[in-house]
Amino acid sequence: MTYNINNKGYYGDFGGAFIPEMLYPNVEELRQKYLNVMSEPSFEKEFNQLLKDYVGRPSPLYFAKRLSEKYNTKIYLKREDLNHTGAHKINNTIGQILMAKRLGKTRIIAETGAGQHGVATATVCALIGLECIVYMGEIDIARQAPNVARMKMLGATVVPATSGSKTLKDATNEAIRDWINNPVDTHYIIGSVVGPHPYPDMVARFQSVVSKEIQEQLQAREGIAKPDYIVACVGGGSNAAGAYYHFLDDTEVKLIAVEAAGHGVDSGESAATSVLGKEGIIHGSKTLLMQTKDGQITEPYSISAGLDYPGVGPMHAHLYKTGRAEFIAITDDQAMTAGLELCKLEGIIPAIESAHALAIFEQKEFKPNDIVVVSLSGRGDKDLDTYIKHFGL
Ligand SMILES: *Cc1c(COP(=O)(O)O)cnc(C)c1O
């Protein structure tokens, strides 16, 4: 039994590549080449060098002493918030821009919701010198002005998606349409472990540097290369996939996936896909997603833009169905409280996505000797307005 992908592109029952015929040549080219490219020594060297000198890796594994005392267990924070651009997303965009270069592509497209993935993509396009077009819903453009400005400063063209609900899913449709029309010169950088095979596997591999570092850092610090628990928030699932990756098949390491309950799982305003989702196909892969009886995708809700996604990647659908990972849903209020607690106890302002992961210490008890690693996926600077409004600061 493995919890990783099989050679057909499936995690158990989930995954695959359900795509329009017009997209087949692009996805097939990537599928045939990605593993070979990634194992080229020159690729590995360039990727690792950029992770070190540009992103600032390895990110620290920080023992959170005061937080540990409060919850009477050993809590380590994997500090992805200290990466260049403020989150784990840059690990993936660096990998994919190098992949695009090796495949001879000259034009990059991406979709973005809140703009975090758009900024990470625009950043690496500037770094390598490739044209960058980011599709973004018209409504998101209006409510995420700072990230739109960042993308423009970095040289990207931001194209509004004006159809449907004018948000992430419409931006994704526009990006797919662009890719169909530009199959030869364009690479589509997807921002999480979602989409048709090979994207979930490719993105998980680029993010797997996180669990590799956790092994080395725990060995040095605790004399054992694995924790008892790994905790991560799940939007599409890429920071979780990176933190779990090297422990997936080691069941001594317990995995906890934290989803956004929004106003509550039963409130009608939630993004807790594992509880509310059913099997279906979204963005080219078979997975769990929130949908109506007729199979229409339900609009998700969470206070954190990064968790506001109606599906999860196929790896996480499999981890849920097999019980390999425990899924816990955290409300807006619980996450905000945990986020503020980290500020006061450790002097770290977390992204609201990451604050969801931190909120589990109020929900679940750990033993004093348990080693619990939490993926601190991003920093909270982007969320200051939301913190200000929520707490009336
Ligand atoms: C985008 C984002 C997430 C959610 O994405 P995953 O693919 O589930 O990791 C979580 N945290 C931060 C800080 C993000 O920017």
Side-chain angles (χ1 to χ4, degrees):
M1 174 85 176
T2 176
Y3 294 95
N4 215 321
I5 202 158
N6 68 21
N7 56 14
K8 296 202 172 68
Y10 279 83
Y11 298 88
D13 297 335
F14 302 104
F18 298 83
I19 49 172
E21 199 175 310
M22 305 270 281
L23 214 54
Y24 181 80
N26 310 34
V27 174
E28 182 59 14
E29 182 193 21
L30 191 62
R31 188 190 68 78
Q32 283 181 14
K33 295 185 177 161
Y34 81 110
L35 289 176
N36 287 338
V37 170
M38 285 180 74
S39 60
E40 280 168 19
S42 68
F43 182 94
E44 277 181 29
K45 185 160 173 243
E46 198 176 355
F47 183 52
N48 290 329
Q49 193 81 45
L50 285 173
L51 289 183
K52 178 166 176 281
D53 299 337
Y54 189 72
V55 176
R57 305 206 70 91
S59 67
L61 183 70
Y62 165 68
F63 177 65
K65 186 160 171 288
R66 296 187 68 209
L67 195 66
S68 297
E69 278 165 5
K70 165 143 192 206
Y71 291 105
N72 196 24
T73 189
K74 289 159 96 171
I75 303 172
Y76 282 89
L77 305 177
K78 184 56 175 161
R79 299 290 309 274
E80 295 301 294
D81 61 313
L82 294 176
N83 294 341
H84 178 45
T85 69
H88 66 291
K89 287 196 171 73
I90 192 87
N91 304 324
N92 169 46
T93 57
I94 294 259
Q96 286 204 49
I97 199 84
L98 297 181
M99 177 68 61
K101 213 172 76 172
R102 294 297 194 288
L103 298 178
K105 310 291 178 180
T106 55
R107 189 173 168 271
I108 298 298
I109 58 172
E111 85 295 335
T112 198
Q116 295 304 111
H117 174 56
V119 169
T121 303
T123 299
V124 298
C125 287
L127 172 70
I128 301 295
L130 292 183
E131 185 186 1
C132 181
I133 294 122
V134 180
Y135 291 93
M136 188 168 185
E138 206 169 38
I139 289 182
D140 290 334
I141 288 180
R143 60 185 176 189
Q144 306 289 343
N147 276 342
V148 176
R150 284 186 185 101
M151 286 184 265
K152 288 184 179 164
M153 288 177 74
L154 293 161
T157 306
V158 181
V159 179
T162 55
S163 63
S165 56
K166 304 182 173 70
T167 57
L168 177 62
K169 112 180 123 44
D170 313 286
T172 306
N173 292 339
E174 294 295 329
I176 289 172
R177 204 163 298 150
D178 179 311
W179 208 22
I180 288 172
N181 290 327
N182 299 285
V184 179
D185 64 346
T186 299
H187 176 71
Y188 179 12
I189 299 191
I190 294 182
S192 188
V193 285
V194 301
H197 178 64
Y199 277 101
D201 184 46
M202 180 172 69
V203 176
R205 285 169 188 264
F206 287 141
Q207 291 290 0
S208 71
V209 61
V210 174
S211 50
K212 188 152 168 293
E213 288 174 4
I214 292 172
Q215 286 180 321
E216 293 161 1
Q217 290 165 325
L218 274 183
Q219 182 66 50
R221 171 89 200 212
E222 292 276 349
I224 178 166
K226 56 179 156 186
D228 296 289
Y229 292 88
I230 302 178
V231 185
C233 64
V234 174
S238 67
N239 87 88
Y244 298 164
Y245 195 87
H246 288 93
F247 305 107
L248 276 174
D249 291 335
D250 181 349
T251 52
E252 281 184 13
V253 180
K254 296 179 209 78
L255 309 178
I256 299 180
V258 183
E259 292 186 311
H263 291 146
V265 169
D266 300 319
S267 68
E269 289 182 296
S270 178
T273 307
S274 68
V275 195
L276 299 170
K278 298 256 170 346
E279 287 185 21
I281 288 166
I282 181 170
H283 300 144
S285 84
K286 188 174 165 208
T287 187
L288 292 172
L289 63 133
M290 291 163 49
Q291 51 189 313
T292 64
K293 280 206 295 292
D294 310 327
Q296 293 297 314
I297 292 166
T298 316
E299 280 292 325
Y301 165 80
S302 164
I303 194 168
S304 77
L307 303 184
D308 196 353
Y309 183 70
V312 285
M315 174 197 281
H316 300 285
H318 184 51
L319 294 176
Y320 176 74
K321 193 166 173 181
T322 55
R324 172 69 183 94
E326 178 184 1
F327 281 67
I328 297 177
I330 293 295
T331 65
D332 288 359
D333 286 345
Q334 291 168 336
M336 296 305 280
T337 302
L340 194 59
E341 179 178 78
L342 192 73
C343 301
K344 308 273 190 220
L345 285 182
E346 297 289 348
I348 299 170
I349 301 175
I352 298 174
E353 291 85 358
S354 320
H356 282 72
L358 295 163
I360 63 143
F361 293 107
E362 286 289 344
Q363 306 301 313
K364 187 178 166 77
E365 222 172 291
F366 297 91
K367 296 206 270 309
N369 277 327
D370 281 342
I371 299 173
V372 184
V373 172
V374 180
S375 169
L376 201 70
S377 55
R379 68 177 83 125
D381 305 36
K382 69 182 177 62
D383 297 319
L384 276 193
D385 274 350
T386 313
Y387 277 119
I388 290 167
K389 281 201 195 95
H390 191 86
F391 292 110
L393 301 170

